[in-house]
Amino acid sequence: MYKRNIPLYIILSIITCGLFSLYWQAQLANDTNILMEDHNGFSGGVVVLLSIITCGLYGLYWLYITGSKIDSKKSESGYGSNGLAIIAVILGLFGLGIVAYAILQNELNQFEAE
C-alpha cells in the first residue's frame, strides 16, 4: 500500500477523460484489500471489469463496501467512523466518483502515515 498523490491523480483523471480513474479505482481496491488483509477480495482488475460490465452499478456497490471497510478499520484503530460508505455512494450517484476516490484515497493515505 502506497501513499498516493491525490491532486496528481485528479488531474490525470481529468486529462485522460476518466481513463486514469479506472487505474485509480483498481489501486484503491488493491490497497483496501491490503489494509483489511482480505486475501479473498476482488482484485482491482476484477473491480474495474465488473464496473464496466454493469455500467457502473457494481462501482456504486464497490464504493459502499470500500467505505464500510475503511470505516470499520478506523473504528478498530480508535478514530471512529464518519459514514464514509454513504458519502461515497451519494457522490457516485451524482457523477462525482472522482471526489469519492479522492476521499477514500485520503483515508487510505492516513493509514499509510501511521
Side-chain angles (χ1 to χ4, degrees):
M1 193 166 83
Y2 300 101
K3 187 172 181 178
R4 303 191 192 284
N5 186 337
I6 296 169
L8 176 65
Y9 275 42
I10 291 171
I11 291 168
L12 289 172
S13 295
I14 292 169
I15 289 173
T16 61
C17 299
L19 291 177
F20 189 81
S21 66
L22 297 175
Y23 170 77
W24 193 4
Q25 182 183 30
Q27 293 304 312
L28 284 168
N30 291 334
D31 288 350
T32 304
N33 287 340
I34 292 169
L35 176 69
M36 299 302 295
E37 299 174 4
D38 185 6
H39 304 292
N40 297 323
F42 284 155
S43 71
V46 173
V47 169
V48 169
L49 182 64
L50 288 173
S51 295
I52 292 170
I53 289 173
T54 62
C55 299
L57 291 178
Y58 183 80
L60 292 173
Y61 171 73
W62 174 81
L63 284 172
Y64 179 80
I65 294 300
T66 302
S68 296
K69 287 179 178 180
I70 293 172
D71 267 350
S72 70
K73 191 67 169 182
K74 284 176 64 176
S75 293
E76 289 175 14
S77 300
Y79 292 111
S81 66
N82 56 2
L84 190 57
I86 300 299
I87 293 168
V89 170
I90 290 172
L91 288 169
L93 280 172
F94 286 102
L96 298 171
I98 193 169
V99 177
Y101 293 174
I103 292 170
L104 294 173
Q105 187 66 62
N106 183 54
E107 296 295 329
L108 287 173
N109 286 350
Q110 290 177 7
F111 282 107
E112 179 67 22
E114 294 176 2

